[in-house]
């Protein structure tokens, strides 16, 4: 991994990194916060939303103070492969910046858009190899990245001690963002889509008993709430499956990093309880 | 004032605002954080550095949690007038984005570049008229804005209860950024420059006895430290004048918002002690 920038922050170190990914076949960028001290430290993986790079969370979420206090590494990867020779779409919600944390099976996306494998295989191994980690971790994210955090945790429960989300796309098989992306990346077979739908995964008993609670914060002034995010589907699925899920509707909050910054300390503390148990 | 964006954050409200300034003769933009409750609240005015708009501090400094806890309004104006018909320079350190918090007397800057009057007259009056303030305030800033905070407080001590700075341009008469900007805006008479040099103002006894302490944080890995910022001139001036000044050299920190976010809570607490005394 090549360090492109490094900053002291809250007594720790924030690095922007770049590496050649075997999984995506492209350079991939990420940021890694490491607290002061020798470690080893548990890891929080953050997954960002549509249009984001590794920079949005890093500069705007205000999470590193809590991470420094709890002694966590935080890893924030880019949201897709990028660059010349990588397929793209002019829309903001497909292609580069919109990887949706799945392994694409369809042309032209399949060669590079493999964000599920990138995060769960290569990124985790890379961080455990190159940083002083406890080899334990949790995952959280926002919007498309909230979908990513939930589905990767539910599909790979051995990898994560806990999962939380801000304003996640709760059921991508039942919203325009999800239908567009999953049909492009996975084809028209909706049974394939269902494997990447957090509400359907919970309803189907995925990871049953593996997570004592799932924390979800959602602003009630979020412009994407009714059409795209639909946290009520997540809550209903959890209730039906007997999965504890704490959905906090936050009055007046929108979809921005101002919303996330306001509650990120709660999420870090939620993961701290599980990672240090 | 026109509200262009509004976000809930930490229980309060962050607004991006635009108004037609009588002082600069241009539209001016700013952000205003107002905590929850009826108020009235004391005001912290934040002045940003070269190239910044009102957005940098607002999204990156992580100051609103502490502001919400202490019950402060925070106002962050743009760093200069902007737009067509406003003089500019291709360099990043002169013209638009580089107002230096002085009232220019020289062509082509004099008609619009009046940031000292804008902040100390129009902005303060506007905020007191339109927000639930106690009509008391403090001021802080970064780099060029640290210079702005110090010089505006020293030149107008009746307006501010306290002043602090991150990595300020401590003596603009003795560094390239300052020499370039002050000669352009104020002409070649160095006696005019000296009126806007924090170290020289302190040395000359400006605001003697008005501020019980001045807090300055400076990263020792800041690439601008030796050539542009020179906090040792500020410390020496304070010592010579008997002005208490707490200069904290922060090991490993650079010039970025990661540095400021790491210590901004200390600055808000510093002002809280003075604003609530």
């Amino acid at each position: 991994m090549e360090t492109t920038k490094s900053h002291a922050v809250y007594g720790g170190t924030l690095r922007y990194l770049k590496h050649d990914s075997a999984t995506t076949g492209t350079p991939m960028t990420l940021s890694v916060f490491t607290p002061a001290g020798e470690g080893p430290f548990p890891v929080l993986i953050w997954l960002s939303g549509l249009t984001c790079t590794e920079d949005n969370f890093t500069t705007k979420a205000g999470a590193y103070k809590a991470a420094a206090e709890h002694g966590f590494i935080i890893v924030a990867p880019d949201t897709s492969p990028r660059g010349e020779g990588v397929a793209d779409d002019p829309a903001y919600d497909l292609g580069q910046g919109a990887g949706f944390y799945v392994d694409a099976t369809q042309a032209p996306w399949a060669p590079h858009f493999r964000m599920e494998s990138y995060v769960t295989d290569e990124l985790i191994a890379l961080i455990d190899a190159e940083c002083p980690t406890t080899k334990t971790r949790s995952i959280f994210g926002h919007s498309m990245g909230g979908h990513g955090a939930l589905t990767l945790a539910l599909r790979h429960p051995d990898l994560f001690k806990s999962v939380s989300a801000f304003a996640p796309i709760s059921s991508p098989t039942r919203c325009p963002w999800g239908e567009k992306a999953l049909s492009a990346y996975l084809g028209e077979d909706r049974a394939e889509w269902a494997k990447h739908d957090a509400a359907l995964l919970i309803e189907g008993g995925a990871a049953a008993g593996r997570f004592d609670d799932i924390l979800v914060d959602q602003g009630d002034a979020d412009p994407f709430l009714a059409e795209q995010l639909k946290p009520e589907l997540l809550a209903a699925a959890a209730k039906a499956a007997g999965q504890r899920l704490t959905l906090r509707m936050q009055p007046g909050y929108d979809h921005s990093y101002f919303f996330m910054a306001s509650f990120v300390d709660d999420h870090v503390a939620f993961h701290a309880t599980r990672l240090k148990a």
Side-chain angles (χ1 to χ4, degrees), chain A residues 102-183:
Chain A
V102 299
D103 290 355
T105 58
Q106 305 297 304
W109 312 105
H112 302 295
F113 282 75
R114 304 190 64 234
M115 288 300 291
E116 177 172 18
S117 290
Y118 173 69
V119 173
T120 58
D121 291 341
E122 187 172 5
L123 180 66
I124 286 175
L126 191 69
I127 296 299
D128 282 346
E130 305 231 352
C131 300
T133 81
T134 54
K135 305 200 189 317
T136 56
R137 67 201 71 77
S138 294
I139 191 164
F140 64 153
H142 171 235
S143 196
M144 176 184 75
H147 144 78
L150 291 166
T151 55
L152 297 191
L154 292 163
R155 288 168 56 81
H156 307 272
D158 290 349
L159 293 179
F160 305 103
K161 296 278 190 189
S162 50
V163 56
S164 73
F166 293 87
I169 300 173
S170 298
S171 186
T173 64
R174 289 173 278 183
C175 72
W177 278 342
E179 290 166 3
K180 178 176 179 178
L182 296 181
S183 64

Side-chain angles (χ1 to χ4, degrees), chain A residues 198-216:
Chain A
L200 295 180
L201 284 166
I202 289 174
E203 208 168 272
R210 301 299 287 274
F211 300 112
D212 71 313
D213 193 6
I214 296 171
L215 175 61
V216 177

Side-chain angles (χ1 to χ4, degrees), chain A residues 167 177 218-229 253-256:
Chain A
W177 278 342
Q218 172 64 58
D220 76 0
D222 187 323
F224 304 111
L225 175 56
E227 187 184 9
Q228 304 282 8
L229 304 175
Y253 285 86
D254 60 25
H255 201 65
S256 71

